[in-house]
Amino acid sequence: MADNPYGMRAPTGGTPPFALGRILDDSAPGQPPLLDADYTLGANWQNDDGFIAANGPDTLLFDSNNDTGFLVAGAVGMSLSGLAPGLRVEGEVSFRQNSNDGLWSTTTGGGSGSGVLDFDHQALAVMANVWYDVDVGWKIKPYVGGGVGWARAKVDGAALTTFTGGGPTTGLFTTFNLSSSGFAWQLGL
């Protein structure tokens, strides 16, 4: 390794360090960098889930349609190959969002109601992960692992509801903004 004019160590040949992994790389030649950074931009899919719930004469039916959303994630990690070949740890932050819409209807002893939902579902997560790279002799290495951390899920949107009963039909337009946060986990292959 040779020093460059910026005071950071660069590989022999004078290549300036542009990536975080290169800037913080003080590993021996031919070895993985001590710290590495990565990002992901991609699509996010949710299942089109629906359900029917009944309690005596009361029923609730929900049918959703979820659009393809997006995912943005970044991670900074380091190799622990000195402890076990292929072992690495990382800190990860991710954000994903999907747009959803759906129909619902309910029947109770006092009448019935139905409506349309239109909402966005978002999730922000901060995770600590451990991964094991399986060396199968290829340039691409499969991996297995998981992580724990914190996540916040948020749903905001609007509902148009129509009620019928003993009197005239009435309509109600409602907006909502709900969120919850807490412990999160993930497994990956």
Side-chain angles (χ1 to χ4, degrees), residues 61-106:
L61 167 73
F62 179 71
D63 186 27
S64 71
N65 179 23
N66 303 315
D67 297 334
T68 301
F70 68 90
L71 162 71
V72 177
V76 175
M78 65 184 289
S79 171
L80 296 179
S81 289
L83 296 175
L87 189 64
R88 57 190 168 95
V89 295
E90 70 180 18
E92 172 193 359
V93 176
S94 65
F95 177 81
R96 58 193 80 216
Q97 178 175 323
N98 288 80
S99 294
N100 312 77
D101 56 57
L103 303 172
W104 66 272
S105 64
T106 184

Side-chain angles (χ1 to χ4, degrees), residues 1-2 4 7-38 76-77:
M1 304 291 265
N4 67 26
M8 295 179 277
R9 295 172 56 91
T12 304
T15 306
F18 291 109
L20 180 61
R22 279 275 179 93
I23 292 171
L24 301 175
D25 182 6
D26 198 17
S27 59
Q31 296 296 314
L34 294 177
L35 287 179
D36 195 13
D38 197 8
V76 175

